[in-house]
């Protein structure tokens, strides 16, 4: 019998809040000896939250601010890794979408749950453990190099049944999956402003609990994405 699979992004999807991004900005500012960088980064994040489409996500906003202030590109990687060491601590706090544990626990009865993220493994399991959801994710893939790296993850599962990709950046988290016939769920600030056409969209993952649960419960009742045909909840 076909097996539905749901592939989740991490930052901006399962882990919410600008805490880690502000930590990144602080480390960049320290490395560049530029205390004003953090204030500019906060302003950029406010624009992102308001729907400004110039930034892919918070990390991209900080990167653009830093480069505009003359910070060398070589300083950004070490600052990012330093901020990830703090992920899920008081120095880089995050929150899970409301009701995430119960949602994933119910969802796991109908679908295989997979994590696929560009982030390194550093700190991620700490956040997942805090949310009580680590054991519900059948696979966890780190530093996969989206968008190209997502193709391999989705291709592995789309031959076994319908796939739904969930994330906050269309080009990274969803577009490669859509090419392979997967359904897509776009969350976050760009869900309001994008010109893309995801299967479903919401301000946060919690807004889509009902739609995703319905998808998982009924996705295998029609032709699967691997046949190239349209199944009841989206486009092939």
């Amino acid at each position: 019998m076909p097996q539905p699979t749901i592939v989740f992004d991490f930052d901006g999807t399962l882990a919410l809040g600008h805490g880690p991004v502000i930590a990144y900005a602080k480390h960049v500012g320290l490395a560049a000896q530029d205390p004003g960088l953090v204030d500019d980064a906060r302003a950029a994040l406010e624009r992102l939250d308001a729907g400004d489409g110039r930034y892919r996500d918070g990390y991209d906003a900080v990167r653009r601010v830093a480069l505009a202030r003359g910070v060398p590109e070589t300083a950004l990687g070490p600052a990012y890794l330093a901020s990830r060491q703090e992920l899920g601590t008081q120095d880089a706090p995050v929150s899970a979408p409301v009701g995430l544990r119960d949602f994933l626990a119910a969802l796991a009865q109908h679908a295989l749950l997979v994590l696929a993220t560009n982030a390194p493994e550093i700190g991620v399991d700490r956040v997942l453990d805090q949310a009580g959801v680590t054991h519900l994710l059948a696979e966890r893939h780190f530093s996969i190099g989206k968008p190209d790296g997502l193709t391999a993850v989705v291709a592995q599962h789309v031959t076994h049944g319908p796939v739904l990709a969930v994330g906050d950046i269309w080009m990274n988290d969803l577009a490669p999956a859509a090419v392979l016939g997967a359904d897509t769920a776009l969350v976050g600030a760009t869900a309001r402003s994008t010109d893309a056409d995801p299967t479903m969209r919401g301000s946060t993952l919690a807004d889509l609990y009902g739609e995703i649960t319905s998808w998982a419960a009924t996705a295998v009742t029609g032709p699967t994405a691997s046949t190239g045909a349209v199944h009841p909840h989206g486009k092939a």
Side-chain angles (χ1 to χ4, degrees):
M1 181 175 180
Q3 168 71 62
T5 300
I6 302 179
V7 181
F8 291 98
D9 175 49
F10 181 72
D11 290 285
T13 303
L14 298 183
L16 304 179
H18 290 317
V21 179
I22 295 298
Y24 173 44
K26 289 179 178 177
H27 282 286
V28 174
L30 286 172
Q33 298 183 331
D34 182 358
L37 188 146
V38 175
D39 289 338
D40 277 7
R42 290 183 186 275
L45 293 174
E46 290 179 1
R47 292 193 293 270
L48 174 65
D49 290 341
D52 191 325
R54 82 183 76 177
Y55 308 119
R56 292 196 309 273
D57 62 2
Y59 288 101
D60 182 53
V62 172
R63 176 181 176 276
R64 289 171 179 259
V65 165
L67 294 178
R69 294 177 70 89
V71 178
E73 185 94 38
T74 54
L76 301 182
Y80 171 72
L81 291 177
S83 72
R84 299 305 284 193
Q85 294 285 354
E86 300 169 345
L87 184 65
T89 71
Q90 63 181 2
D91 294 316
V94 295
S95 60
V98 175
L100 180 67
R101 181 173 57 184
D102 290 343
F103 165 65
L104 293 185
L107 200 60
Q109 299 179 32
H110 301 286
L112 187 75
L113 308 185
V114 174
L115 176 71
T117 176
N118 274 352
E121 190 171 357
I122 304 166
V124 172
D125 281 345
R126 176 166 56 229
V127 171
L128 296 175
D129 287 345
Q130 290 170 354
V133 301
T134 308
H135 66 290
L136 298 171
L137 297 167
E139 300 175 15
R140 302 197 299 282
H141 302 276
F142 303 97
S143 302
I144 66 171
K146 297 179 186 178
D148 293 343
L150 183 63
T151 299
V153 175
V154 173
Q156 175 185 350
H157 294 285
V158 77
T159 58
H160 301 294
V163 173
L164 173 66
V166 186
D168 66 318
I169 304 176
W170 171 260
M171 289 305 299
N172 279 4
D173 305 325
L174 307 181
V179 168
L180 293 175
D183 286 320
T184 54
L186 181 62
V187 300
T190 63
R192 301 189 301 270
S193 59
T194 183
D195 293 330
D197 186 25
T199 311
M200 55 189 87
R201 68 178 77 200
S203 295
T204 72
L205 178 60
D207 294 329
L208 300 180
Y209 285 173
E211 287 185 74
I212 293 175
T213 299
S214 177
W215 181 94
T218 62
V220 298
T221 60
T224 69
S226 61
T227 68
V230 177
H231 66 69
H233 290 274
K235 303 172 183 177

